[in-house]
Amino acid sequence: MELNPGAEGSLVVGTGELLAAGQFRLSAAGHYQHRPLILFQQGQSAAAVSGRSTLHVAAAWAPLTRLQVAGQVPLVMLQNLGPGALNPAAPTSFLLSTPTVGVRLGLLTQSAQGGFDVAVGADVGLNVGNADGYARDDGPRFLPRVMAGRHLGPLRVALDVGLMIRPGGRITEESPRAQDELGNEVRLAGALASTGRRTRWELNVRGMVPLSKQPGSMELLPGLRYLVNPSLELFGLAGVGLGKTPGTPLFRVLAGGSFGSVLPRQGPGEASVRCDLGQSLPPEECPNRDDDGDGLRNGLDRCPLDPGNGEPDGCPIKDTDKDGIMDRLDACPLEPGPASRQGCPVRDEDGDGVEDEEDRCPREPGPRENQGCPLVDNDKDGISNDDDRCPDEPGPPEREGCPEEDLDKDGVPNREDMCVNAKGEASNLGCPAHELPLVSLAVDHLELRGNKVAFEKGQARLRPGVSLVLDWVARVMREHPEIPLVLVGAHTDDQGMADTNRLLTQQRAEVVRRYLIDKGVPAERLEARGYGPDVPLDTNLTANGRENNRRVEFKILREGHRGTDAPRR
């Protein structure tokens, strides 16, 4: 019996698998054979060797990826010679048996896509052992062989076929009828072994088909292997022999260990043995493990390091872009977007609020009402040509894009010019330097810049000097016909009876209105209203506050506000 020196898959059967480049393996095993040599003659049997204990030392090394060299030396430590021994005086201990050297060449390697591990090899048995102790042949022996194997999930099958070529002849010449002839033979071996676990089993069957007159035989050898660590393995074999071929024991027991590159190669679709050693390994090396603890084995888990939460593929529900749509259903998992767009964002390249799909000008910002295209504004006044009454002349929005009127051509537009018919400076509200305008035009009222409109105490009669400021009010209204209506509002403080004050202020407002009409302002552009103390401008607790509350205001009423606007506060 010879060991498989690389021990890939099986301890005694070649599987077509070789050590990786640079790996080595050194093995030593103790081996006991019971009645390995029995002579049969005329129906009688006698044990020439009733028991033999052998130490096997084997080594294998792979200098290249597909090349492996090996050798083994069997040492007979002790053997018992039986009554059928041909030489009762033969030595019984410390005998060198037949050393063997060999080479194996890998031809094919199984991949994830399929195939087989196939190798060829040749072993040479050197006839340097002890001949007196039945420990060698008469000359060298040769064993060319073909080995093939395949991983089938957690199992490995192998077939080893070889042709033993050795010197023929008989062990003894005492009787021509003794069945002790040796010669060439075909050696067949098969193996079935488990893979991917720290403790593995194997079942080996070895047989011999003679090519001479010697009888045939076969053996059944189950075994166990235990990986102590990535560099040390322990193993044991036990088996029974059937047949009368010389060297076939009634039973044999073998136990030993290996050192070096003892970690078996991980085959396609199987777990690495290292998974049982408690090492930190990537999930693909341990398909039968559940690294994330979600109840799904690594081999079936698409996310073996992330615990799944109910998903059949073992992956957690991920939403990378936080848009509420899980990644596996999100057409754009890295960009947030609404469910109506399958999680993809609304594309708006020009940032104008109009989606690119609806934007006629996706690279130029424009309002939605113009289908996302920019508005054309020839005069650059901020009003599109479609809404601009004067598209080629800049003007303010209140004039619908038309330029400001300037009757006196002094550069001050009419709406700011208090002297529309006389050239002046902007700093003087458009009036000539020798005139000081006492009124300015605001958006919703006429602002008095001179003295306030004052009345005699408790009466509806204007004080002397008030006519100057009222003349300016009349002048501005005449020169600005665009002012549709001015509400003349009169107010008092809270001194006296409220109803009396309301009547007094109504009379005062009518006096001012009549004065402006007399100065040429059309009556339909003026309205008078007295408020009494109802709308104070300041506090009535102080003399200054009460003085501020006694006033006349000129509020400009636009279209649709006639008779409804309250005086300016």
Side-chain angles (χ1 to χ4, degrees):
M1 177 179 172
E2 297 173 352
L3 298 176
N4 180 21
E8 306 90 350
S10 170
L11 295 166
V12 293
V13 177
T15 63
E17 185 177 356
L18 307 181
L19 295 174
Q23 291 186 339
F24 76 95
R25 183 183 182 106
L26 178 64
S27 303
H31 178 201
Y32 172 73
Q33 304 169 75
H34 186 65
R35 304 186 74 184
L37 183 58
I38 301 175
L39 299 181
F40 294 89
Q41 185 175 359
Q42 297 179 348
Q44 302 295 320
S45 64
V49 178
S50 59
R52 171 180 283 183
S53 298
T54 306
L55 173 66
H56 290 267
V57 178
W61 173 57
L64 301 173
T65 300
R66 295 183 179 270
L67 179 64
Q68 177 178 300
V69 294
Q72 49 187 306
V73 178
L75 296 173
V76 178
M77 307 303 293
L78 179 67
Q79 66 179 357
N80 297 321
L81 300 180
L86 302 179
N87 182 9
T92 59
S93 61
F94 299 105
L95 309 178
L96 176 64
S97 188
T98 303
T100 303
V101 294
V103 62
R104 297 185 184 183
L105 180 65
L107 300 181
L108 298 174
T109 300
Q110 181 181 351
S111 67
Q113 287 72 40
F116 295 84
D117 293 312
V118 179
V120 295
D123 298 329
V124 178
L126 306 177
N127 61 326
V128 296
N130 188 289
D132 294 339
Y134 311 107
R136 68 171 174 85
D137 291 319
D138 288 340
R141 68 188 184 200
F142 304 93
L143 180 61
R145 60 207 295 185
V146 177
M147 298 152 282
R150 179 177 171 83
H151 289 266
L152 298 174
L155 298 177
R156 180 168 178 78
V157 295
L159 180 65
D160 186 349
V161 180
L163 175 63
M164 173 64 78
I165 302 172
R166 65 182 180 185
R170 300 179 60 188
I171 297 176
T172 175
E173 299 295 338
E174 290 185 4
S175 172
R177 291 187 295 276
Q179 296 180 3
D180 62 350
E181 185 171 341
L182 299 176
N184 297 338
E185 60 192 39
V186 175
R187 291 195 171 181
L188 302 172
L192 177 66
S194 65
T195 63
R197 308 298 296 182
R198 191 172 187 178
T199 300
R200 291 169 288 151
W201 57 264
E202 62 181 69
L203 181 62
N204 305 287
V205 178
R206 302 170 65 238
M208 183 272 286
V209 178
L211 299 178
S212 61
K213 294 181 179 180
Q214 67 184 32
S217 64
M218 68 175 294
E219 284 188 82
L220 182 64
L221 287 166
L224 283 175
R225 306 171 71 166
Y226 178 72
L227 191 65
V228 179
N229 57 51
S231 300
L232 178 63
E233 182 183 58
L234 302 179
F235 56 83
L237 285 167
V240 295
L242 300 174
K244 298 180 179 180
T245 302
T248 302
L250 183 63
F251 69 85
R252 72 172 84 231
V253 179
L254 184 147
S258 298
F259 173 78
S261 305
V262 299
L263 199 65
R265 187 185 77 190
Q266 180 182 4
E270 69 180 29
S272 170
V273 178
R274 295 192 300 166
C275 300
D276 271 5
L277 298 178
Q279 298 180 342
S280 178
L281 300 172
E284 55 269 18
E285 285 199 38
C286 305
N288 296 321
R289 202 164 65 188
D290 181 14
D291 287 341
D292 55 13
D294 60 1
L296 196 63
R297 294 186 294 111
N298 291 346
L300 302 175
D301 198 330
R302 286 185 56 197
C303 304
L305 298 179
D306 297 310
N309 40 12
E311 292 299 302
D313 58 2
C315 290
I317 297 177
K318 287 188 176 180
D319 182 13
T320 304
D321 53 15
K322 309 300 181 186
D323 60 0
I325 304 172
M326 64 183 69
D327 286 356
R328 65 186 181 87
L329 300 177
D330 198 330
C332 303
L334 301 180
E335 300 175 277
S340 60
R341 298 179 62 86
Q342 293 183 298
C344 287
V346 175
R347 305 292 181 185
D348 183 12
E349 185 176 345
D350 53 16
D352 58 2
V354 182
E355 297 179 27
D356 288 350
E357 295 178 358
E358 303 176 1
D359 198 332
R360 288 178 53 197
C361 305
R363 292 180 175 81
E364 298 177 274
R368 181 175 296 276
E369 55 270 17
N370 203 40
Q371 295 182 292
C373 288
L375 298 173
V376 179
D377 182 12
N378 291 348
D379 54 15
K380 308 301 180 186
D381 60 0
I383 303 172
S384 67
N385 287 358
D386 294 340
D387 299 324
D388 198 333
R389 288 178 55 196
C390 304
D392 297 319
E393 298 178 274
E398 57 268 20
R399 293 188 57 80
E400 299 182 89
C402 289
E404 299 273 15
E405 291 188 44
D406 184 12
L407 292 178
D408 55 12
K409 308 301 182 185
D410 59 359
V412 182
N414 287 0
R415 62 186 178 87
E416 298 177 4
D417 199 334
M418 298 302 101
C419 300
V420 173
N421 299 314
K423 292 184 178 181
E425 299 294 330
S427 59
N428 199 35
L429 300 182
C431 293
H434 65 274
E435 289 190 85
L436 180 62
L438 299 181
V439 175
S440 63
L441 185 60
V443 175
D444 62 350
H445 68 281
L446 298 175
E447 187 75 38
L448 304 183
R449 293 165 54 88
N451 296 330
K452 61 189 295 187
V453 179
F455 296 86
E456 297 294 343
K457 185 175 181 180
Q459 300 181 37
R461 187 170 63 249
L462 293 170
R463 285 185 182 180
V466 174
S467 58
L468 290 177
V469 67
L470 290 179
D471 289 346
W472 270 97
V473 172
R475 175 178 176 176
V476 169
M477 290 193 67
R478 290 195 306 272
E479 294 184 359
H480 288 272
E482 71 275 9
I483 299 176
L485 177 66
V486 171
L487 175 64
V488 180
H491 303 262
T492 67
D493 57 26
D494 65 349
Q495 302 297 305
M497 300 296 290
D499 288 341
T500 302
N501 286 339
R502 292 188 190 101
L503 178 60
L504 176 61
T505 54
Q506 181 64 39
Q507 293 172 349
R508 288 178 173 177
E510 292 290 350
V511 169
V512 173
R513 177 175 182 272
R514 173 51 55 190
Y515 184 93
L516 297 177
I517 292 173
D518 291 343
K519 292 296 182 178
V521 179
E524 63 272 15
R525 295 177 62 198
L526 293 167
E527 183 178 330
R529 187 178 302 172
Y531 294 91
D534 297 338
V535 188
L537 184 66
D538 202 345
T539 178
N540 283 303
L541 298 178
T542 66
N544 287 337
R546 290 191 295 273
E547 176 64 25
N548 292 334
N549 288 334
R550 295 190 294 269
R551 68 195 186 280
V552 174
E553 295 179 326
F554 300 91
K555 183 173 180 63
I556 299 174
L557 299 182
R558 301 295 177 183
E559 205 63 39
H561 295 278
R562 295 185 177 225
T564 62
D565 284 78
R568 183 177 63 87
R569 291 183 178 272

